[in-house]
Amino acid sequence: MIIATWNVNSLNVRLPQVLDWLRDRQPDIMALQETKLTDADFPTLDIANAGYHAVFSGQKTYNGVAILSRMPAGEIVTDLPGLDDPQRRVLGATVGNLRVLNLYVPNGQAVGSEKYAYKLAWLDKLAEWLITERVPYPQLVVLGDFNIAPEDRDVHDPAAWAGQVLCSDPERAAFQRLLDLGFKDTFRLFPQEDHAFSWWDYRAAAFRRNLGLRIDHILASPALAAVCTTSQVDKAPRRLERPSDHAPVIAEFDLDLH
DNA sequence: ATGGTGGCGCGGCCA
């Protein structure tokens, strides 16, 4: 079973790339972030023609999340419990015997800003949710754009980024708290090349120079991590014309969805 | 160098 996550930075613009990627890689589950579409505008038909069910929680211009799956999804949740928030950043769904939580964690803008405080409060609510969610759903995957580079090796220039948003200690502590709950960062279950990133700024030819960060993650509950067989970043879509600034991240599991 | 690029949508916000 293959699970993937991709911040597409507008599903309108990136739909052809998403359809190509689905055809080539055939994931069982695909989590999308920054669809930037209202639910009325979601391309359900194109996705269905590609062989996938879709559930989504969108808004105009900003944010928006979706889960595409070979099998139909149920038990849909679109909000963090206890957080009244118009921003569409959360989508939980059950696909067969797997629980999927797709997240677009707030960016945080700058350390000390209002958006940064919102990000930390949001992550606090997330941890509280996972404490309860993992009980009925032992096979739980929590994935998406976390907007956190967990360690210095996830940053092209750790000295320049030290203490900056996406890399600050409180953000990393919030990420570590998720790991302390027993979730595994599947990417780090396996040997990886140095300088492996999932996001590169559009500016300053950052991708060509591999000036990136690894901020997109697939976290697996203990039961799921135990059957994880590989995880990698697929940089190919970042090389295309008019790419997203993020690349898809993949994890594969020795598990039958049923 | 306090910029640079991209999406949305048409001025400014967000990343």
Side-chain angles (χ1 to χ4, degrees):
Chain A
M1 180 197 58
I2 298 173
I3 299 180
T5 179
W6 193 5
N7 179 324
V8 292
N9 186 22
S10 168
L11 186 54
N12 263 334
V13 174
R14 240 62 72 184
L15 181 62
Q17 294 184 18
V18 169
L19 295 176
D20 285 349
W21 201 87
L22 292 173
R23 186 197 61 228
D24 292 346
R25 305 300 295 250
Q26 301 276 317
D28 296 275
I29 309 277
M30 169 117 236
L32 303 177
Q33 304 87 36
E34 282 205 272
T35 55
K36 298 185 175 179
L37 294 165
T38 62
D39 291 349
D41 288 333
F42 195 89
T44 306
L45 215 61
D46 295 290
I47 297 296
N49 287 337
Y52 286 85
H53 299 267
V55 293
F56 35 83
S57 180
Q59 69 182 85
K60 208 159 114 77
T61 311
Y62 302 116
N63 308 311
V65 283
I67 296 172
L68 316 183
S69 54
R70 286 288 193 199
M71 292 176 53
E75 301 183 305
I76 310 305
V77 173
T78 60
D79 290 280
L80 288 179
L83 192 72
D84 185 21
D85 188 356
Q87 300 186 35
R88 302 293 81 199
R89 298 178 172 278
V90 172
L91 188 59
T94 302
V95 181
N97 50 350
L98 181 72
R99 183 67 173 164
V100 180
L101 304 184
N102 177 19
L103 309 176
Y104 176 43
V105 177
N107 171 282
Q109 195 172 56
V111 173
S113 68
E114 251 179 62
K115 290 190 175 71
Y116 181 78
Y118 163 67
K119 179 180 194 173
L120 293 181
W122 197 99
L123 288 164
D124 202 51
K125 291 291 186 194
L126 171 64
E128 288 175 24
W129 186 30
L130 296 187
I131 288 168
T132 58
E133 193 78 351
R134 63 186 174 157
V135 177
Y137 301 111
Q139 296 193 144
L140 177 56
V141 62
V142 184
L143 78 173
D145 178 358
F146 284 72
N147 271 314
I148 300 171
E151 300 178 59
D152 279 354
R153 61 178 165 163
D154 301 311
V155 181
H156 69 90
D157 186 346
W161 280 85
Q164 301 295 310
V165 73
L166 312 186
C167 300
S168 72
D169 287 341
E171 291 165 89
R172 287 180 169 179
F175 188 84
Q176 182 61 45
R177 187 178 171 198
L178 307 181
L179 302 184
D180 290 344
L181 291 175
F183 292 93
K184 299 289 189 190
D185 178 356
T186 57
F187 188 77
R188 291 300 179 201
L189 293 175
F190 308 97
Q192 303 288 353
E193 303 282 327
D194 290 340
H195 314 293
F197 308 124
S198 67
W199 169 83
W200 302 260
D201 199 297
Y202 282 122
R203 297 166 287 191
F207 181 68
R208 184 178 55 72
R209 302 156 67 198
N210 197 29
L211 307 182
L213 302 179
R214 192 176 70 92
I215 57 176
D216 300 273
H217 308 298
I218 300 176
L219 306 188
S221 65
L224 201 56
V227 294
C228 187
T229 55
T230 183
S231 178
Q232 64 244 332
V233 177
D234 178 13
K235 286 174 76 171
R238 189 64 178 78
R239 299 188 187 97
L240 298 172
E241 292 269 335
R242 232 182 154 189
S244 168
D245 45 351
H246 295 251
V249 180
I250 305 164
E252 200 159 349
F253 300 86
D254 189 5
L255 182 79
D256 287 321
L257 277 186
H258 60 265

